[in-house]
């Protein structure tokens, strides 16, 4: 009896122990993840649809993942920016221009000229075998912190926060709070930078609204009326003001135009189309620009034509909206003089190359930046219509604020030409050669403006004594090319392309 009792007791004990083991095994099973990371899901899906180089990125292929693998892939990281950049095609080499942001509303506002900034626009060049960097003030945004501090075009600075400007620290200039030191009475002696004094300027950024129509003037020389326009960004909400400015030129009977795009990093393709019409006028309904998308969006391949009417836009409720059209004030010119620098990019390059098949374009200055691709703003708004997918800003997913500005198209002029390495000038001017002699806008002795006026009138506008500096330099970049969206090209209104 005791043996039987003992046997039953041991059997029950073994049963409970084995059950406990099974329970423990079940508890140790990993939880199956079924919830998608919304941001990464949006990033992958939108790039899979729109990205210009989609077929060149293995991880963006339609059949790259099973459902389980895809879920694991998009949930593999919370680093949304890193996830985005890892999906780009040879990022930093082939694709230098795609961006992701965690605040799409700020991104949209920046396209209207509204952004947090110091108002200091500059170029950087390395000297002394690359050991040091000099900064040249290209222009100052009116009423900005830099303007109030007293900085002016042509100033040369060589320190940031009390330290010599070098490759190690120059990116501090992209921050919104810093101090720069300007050289006074500087000179180049034995190919070395020297100066007699210095002055510090402390600048703290604030929200600014920049008007891209920075400066204009009409010169009356030898019976010619020469319009000079400094145009610093292609912002569609200023199309009406730009057309008004060309109306003034037209009323004055302007015979020649000098278009200063040295500090214009680009912007709206729609504004570029409008500017082309304002400069010409005699080529209405002629092909101006062709846009080519990836294979999934071939139906979006389209052409922009010169048109007697230009589109007008306003920034409202967080996005750019159409407010109708108006007749372009066209100058009907057969030649235009364009001032360029290494920072002349995207929509500026479009203007130069798209005008060339129709009129003479005399380019003065430096080789341009070399950006012949563009983007649209993508938000988390899937749609069954592939050509509307991820573009509906108003009805986007509000659970997060991410947005993307990836490259989605390449563009060509009416001859199907493209200049991916940049556009070479007809007359070369290295602006660093004239440090200390860079004049305020409109001063006819400013090196580039003087050369353009000389080409038009035959007169000399610079003193023979103002010789080039004997200084070996290497370009580093400028305030437009060193920041996000500084060389952006995007479409404001697709309806203007057919």
């Amino acid at each position: 009896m005791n043996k039987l009792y003992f046997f039953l007791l041991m059997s029950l004990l073994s049963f409970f122990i084995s059950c406990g083991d099974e329970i423990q095994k079940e508890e140790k099973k990993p939880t199956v993840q079924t919830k998608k990371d919304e941001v990464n899901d949006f990033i992958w899906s939108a790039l899979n649809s729109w990205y210009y180089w989609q077929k060149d990125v293995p991880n963006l292929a339609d059949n790259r993942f099973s459902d389980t693998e895809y879920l694991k892939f998009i949930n593999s990281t919370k680093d949304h920016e890193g996830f985005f950049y890892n999906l780009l095609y040879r990022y930093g080499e082939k694709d230098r221009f795609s961006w992701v942001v965690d605040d799409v509303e700020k991104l949209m506002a920046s396209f209207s000229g509204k952004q947090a900034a110091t108002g200091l626009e500059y170029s950087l060049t390395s000297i002394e075998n690359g050991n040091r960097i000099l900064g040249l003030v290209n222009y100052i945004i009116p009423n900005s912190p830099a303007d109030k501090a007293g900085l002016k075009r042509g100033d040369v600075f060589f320190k940031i926060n009390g330290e010599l400007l070098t490759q190690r620290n120059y990116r501090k200039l992209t921050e919104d709070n810093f101090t720069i030191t300007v050289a006074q009475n500087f000179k180049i002696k034995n190919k070395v930078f020297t100066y007699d004094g210095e002055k510090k300027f402390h600048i703290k950024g604030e929200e600014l609204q920049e008007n891209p129509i920075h400066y204009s003037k009409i010169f009356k020389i030898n019976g010619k009326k020469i319009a000079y326009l400094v145009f610093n960004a292609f912002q569609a909400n200023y199309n009406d003001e730009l057309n008004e400015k060309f109306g003034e030129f037209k009323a004055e009977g302007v015979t020649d135009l000098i278009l200063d795009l040295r500090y214009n990093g680009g912007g709206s393709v729609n504004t570029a189309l409008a500017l082309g019409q304002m400069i010409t006028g005699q080529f209405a309904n002629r092909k101006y620009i062709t846009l080519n998308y990836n294979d999934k969006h071939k139906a979006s391949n389209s052409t922009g034509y010169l048109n007697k009417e230009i589109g007008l836009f306003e920034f409202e409720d967080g996005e750019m909206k159409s407010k109708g059209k108006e007749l372009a004030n066209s100058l009907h010119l057969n030649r235009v003089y364009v001032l360029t620098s290494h920072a002349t990019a995207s929509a500026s390059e479009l203007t130069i190359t798209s005008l060339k098949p129709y009129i003479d374009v005399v380019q003065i200055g430096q080789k341009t930046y070399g950006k012949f691709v563009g983007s649209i703003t993508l938000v988390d708004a899937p749609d069954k219509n592939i050509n509307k997918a991820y573009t509906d800003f108003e009805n986007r997913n509000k659970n997060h604020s991410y947005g993307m500005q990836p490259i989605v198209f390449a563009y060509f002029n009416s001859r199907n030409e493209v200049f991916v390495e940049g556009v070479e000038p007809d007359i070369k001017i290295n602006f660093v050669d004239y440090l200390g002699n860079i004049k305020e806008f409109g001063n006819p002795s400013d090196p580039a403006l003087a050369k353009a006026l000389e080409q038009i009138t035959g007169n000399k506008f610079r003193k023979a004594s103002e010789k080039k500096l004997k200084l070996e330099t290497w370009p580093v970049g400028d305030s437009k090319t060193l920041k996000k969206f500084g060389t952006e090209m995007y479409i404001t209104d697709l309806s203007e392309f057919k």
Side-chain angles (χ1 to χ4, degrees):
M1 186 71 178
N2 289 338
K3 289 184 179 179
L4 178 60
Y5 175 79
F6 178 76
F7 175 75
L8 290 172
L9 181 62
M10 292 303 293
S11 297
L12 286 170
L13 184 61
S14 298
F15 172 76
F16 283 119
I17 289 173
S18 63
C19 286
D21 288 342
E22 289 300 318
I23 291 170
Q24 286 183 351
K25 287 178 183 177
E26 288 180 9
E27 288 176 348
K28 289 180 181 178
K29 286 182 180 178
T31 303
V32 177
Q33 199 168 14
T34 58
K35 187 177 180 181
K36 295 178 180 179
D37 183 301
E38 285 188 295
V39 177
N40 287 349
D41 183 40
F42 151 60
I43 290 172
W44 189 92
S45 300
L47 288 177
N48 168 263
S49 175
W50 282 100
Y51 189 46
Y52 184 68
W53 292 288
Q54 181 263 341
K55 67 179 182 180
D56 298 307
V57 181
N59 278 341
L60 286 177
D62 295 342
N63 59 355
R64 177 65 177 87
F65 304 105
S66 67
D67 290 347
T68 303
E69 290 170 336
Y70 176 71
L71 193 63
K72 184 179 179 180
F73 181 70
I74 64 170
N75 287 339
S76 62
T77 180
K78 289 294 183 183
D79 178 8
H80 304 306
E81 289 195 12
F83 183 80
F84 171 83
Y85 290 113
N86 284 334
L87 287 172
L88 299 185
Y89 178 53
R90 290 162 55 188
Y91 176 62
E93 179 188 353
K94 187 70 174 182
D95 185 355
R96 298 175 287 150
F97 311 112
S98 294
W99 301 99
V100 64
V101 296
D102 59 7
D103 190 336
V104 71
E105 291 185 0
K106 281 187 179 180
L107 169 63
M108 298 294 281
S110 71
F111 296 152
S112 71
K114 189 176 183 179
Q115 59 184 319
T118 62
L120 171 65
E121 302 293 340
Y122 55 85
S123 293
L124 301 176
T125 186
S126 61
I127 61 172
E128 299 176 10
N129 296 319
N131 295 322
R132 291 180 59 184
I133 290 177
L134 293 182
L136 171 66
V137 177
N138 291 330
Y139 73 95
I140 300 296
I141 298 175
N143 301 315
S144 68
D147 188 22
K148 295 170 186 175
L151 285 160
K152 63 183 186 300
R153 171 172 162 76
D155 281 343
V156 177
F157 58 93
F158 65 104
K159 289 182 181 179
I160 175 91
N161 297 333
E163 298 180 343
L164 289 176
L165 199 59
T166 64
Q167 294 285 348
R168 178 178 54 83
N169 61 18
Y170 75 85
R171 288 192 178 273
K172 290 182 180 179
L173 289 164
T174 63
E175 299 175 1
D176 63 356
N177 193 349
F178 55 83
T179 299
I180 60 171
T181 303
V182 171
Q184 296 179 314
N185 303 316
F186 79 92
K187 56 181 70 71
I188 304 299
K189 188 175 182 180
N190 297 324
K191 296 186 178 181
V192 176
F193 170 76
T194 62
Y195 57 95
D196 295 335
E198 59 183 61
K199 186 176 181 180
K200 294 181 179 180
F201 295 84
H202 179 71
I203 317 169
K204 186 175 182 180
E206 61 184 43
E207 191 169 89
L208 300 176
Q209 178 72 47
E210 181 181 1
N211 188 326
I213 307 163
H214 188 82
Y215 180 88
S216 68
K217 183 176 182 177
I218 296 177
F219 295 92
K220 298 178 181 179
I221 306 171
N222 296 347
K224 293 180 176 291
K225 293 182 178 181
I226 307 163
Y228 171 58
L229 175 65
V230 181
F231 188 50
N232 290 336
F234 287 76
Q235 292 166 201
N237 53 318
Y238 285 91
N239 282 9
D240 50 354
E241 288 191 35
L242 183 62
N243 197 37
E244 184 179 339
K245 179 60 64 177
F246 271 78
E248 294 173 13
F249 293 161
K250 188 175 182 179
E252 286 289 330
V254 160
T255 57
D256 299 271
L257 173 65
I258 301 170
L259 181 62
D260 195 339
L261 298 179
R262 284 177 288 181
Y263 316 117
N264 192 319
S268 172
V269 179
N270 299 79
T271 300
L273 195 58
L275 178 60
Q277 179 64 29
M278 295 175 203
I279 293 171
T280 60
Q282 64 271 44
F283 305 106
N285 302 317
R286 299 284 291 276
K287 182 189 294 187
Y288 194 63
I289 175 177
T290 297
L291 310 179
N292 285 350
Y293 294 77
N294 68 19
D295 289 344
K296 292 186 177 185
H297 289 269
K298 280 186 176 180
S300 295
N301 290 351
S302 53
T303 298
Y305 295 85
L306 293 168
N307 197 302
K308 291 181 179 180
E309 291 187 323
I310 62 167
L312 305 179
F313 303 88
E314 60 185 349
F315 187 70
E316 184 181 284
D317 299 328
E319 61 181 323
M320 207 71 75
K321 295 182 179 180
S322 173
K323 62 174 186 178
K325 295 180 180 292
E326 69 180 15
L327 285 173
N329 292 312
S330 299
L331 299 182
H332 292 84
L333 298 176
N334 292 311
R335 178 179 292 113
V336 63
Y337 298 81
V338 183
L339 311 186
T340 63
S341 74
H342 295 314
T344 303
S346 65
S348 292
E349 294 172 298
L350 182 158
T351 298
I352 295 167
T353 59
S354 294
L355 282 172
K356 281 188 173 185
Y358 297 108
I359 65 174
D360 291 334
V361 179
V362 181
Q363 185 182 336
I364 301 171
Q366 295 169 308
K367 183 180 178 180
T368 64
Y369 188 60
K371 186 184 179 207
F372 286 82
V373 287
S375 63
I376 58 176
T377 304
L378 299 181
V379 294
D380 194 356
D383 196 292
K384 290 182 180 179
N385 183 335
I386 190 172
N387 292 317
K388 293 182 179 180
Y390 306 103
T391 62
D392 190 345
F393 179 81
E394 187 174 344
N395 295 309
R396 70 192 185 281
N397 178 6
K398 302 291 199 309
N399 290 337
H400 65 82
S401 57
Y402 275 81
M404 296 189 293
Q405 204 71 32
I407 297 303
V408 302
F409 66 84
Y411 75 86
F412 307 86
N413 65 12
S414 61
R415 294 174 181 162
N416 290 322
E417 296 172 321
V418 66
F419 302 81
V420 292
E421 300 299 324
V423 188
E424 291 282 359
D426 299 290
I427 301 171
K428 293 184 178 181
I429 293 179
N430 182 5
F431 302 110
V432 180
D433 291 341
Y434 297 93
L435 287 175
N437 285 309
I438 300 294
K439 309 299 184 183
E440 289 290 348
F441 292 123
N443 187 323
S445 63
D446 183 75
L449 177 58
K451 181 59 67 173
L453 290 171
E454 178 185 327
Q455 293 294 306
I456 296 169
T457 66
N459 296 351
K460 295 285 187 181
F461 291 89
R462 288 184 58 78
K463 297 177 182 177
S465 59
E466 294 179 349
K467 296 180 180 179
K468 294 181 180 180
L469 297 178
K470 294 181 180 180
L471 181 67
E472 292 184 353
T473 63
W474 299 266
V476 174
D478 93 326
S479 49
K480 298 287 175 75
T481 61
L482 292 175
K483 68 181 180 181
K484 288 183 178 181
F485 318 122
T487 60
E488 198 56 70
M489 182 167 72
Y490 52 89
I491 299 172
T492 304
D493 184 5
L494 283 166
S495 70
E496 291 193 357
F497 296 84
K498 302 174 182 178

